[in-house]
Amino acid sequence: MKARLPQGYGGGGAQNMNAMILKAQKMQEQMKVKQDELNEREFKAASGGGAVEVTMSGKKEMTNIVISPDVVDPDDIEMLGDLIMAAVNEAIRTVDDATSAEMEKITGGLNLPGM
């Protein structure tokens, strides 16, 4: 006795697999294009109410830093370091958030490892 599958299931296995492979390849191409676009974008983040501003590429490379002269206190170098660190970390989060949001648009919310 043969088991019967509901309509729409089974049959056309090779066609379904080919369609799935083509869809995955198209998604991969879209992700590559979007990643290239993101790599070219600049992201800015600031700390200390704008006292330190960091500009970062989508590749997470710092391209510029602006430090307000008001926060340069030779007696409190530690605070300046903290402000720089906070601005850099915020810029990295901004790049990560933008990348995740753009990739989610392409994948439709699929959780793909490494993306």
Side-chain angles (χ1 to χ4, degrees):
M1 173 180 231
K2 281 188 167 182
R4 295 184 184 221
L5 295 173
Q7 192 172 11
Y9 289 94
Q15 289 175 341
N16 288 342
M17 183 61 79
N18 286 339
M20 192 166 43
I21 289 171
L22 289 173
K23 189 173 182 178
Q25 287 172 340
K26 182 179 177 186
M27 188 183 303
Q28 188 176 25
E29 289 169 11
Q30 290 173 326
M31 291 171 72
K32 168 109 176 68
V33 168
K34 186 54 73 176
Q35 188 62 57
D36 290 344
E37 289 173 11
L38 286 165
N39 287 345
E40 296 301 316
R41 279 181 53 189
E42 285 193 336
F43 299 86
K44 291 186 179 190
S47 67
V52 174
E53 183 180 88
V54 170
T55 304
M56 188 170 286
S57 74
K59 295 178 185 179
K60 298 181 187 174
E61 295 171 346
M62 192 165 44
T63 58
N64 192 29
I65 184 167
V66 177
I67 301 172
S68 170
D70 300 339
V71 297
V72 181
D73 179 359
D75 295 328
D76 196 2
I77 297 297
E78 188 176 317
M79 181 191 67
L80 180 57
D82 290 344
L83 289 171
I84 292 169
M85 194 169 24
V88 169
N89 287 336
E90 182 60 29
I92 291 170
R93 274 191 293 277
T94 302
V95 172
D96 287 343
D97 290 348
T99 300
S100 293
E102 292 298 327
M103 293 303 154
E104 189 172 312
K105 288 179 189 175
I106 294 170
T107 63
L110 290 176
N111 188 12
L112 301 174
M115 298 294 134

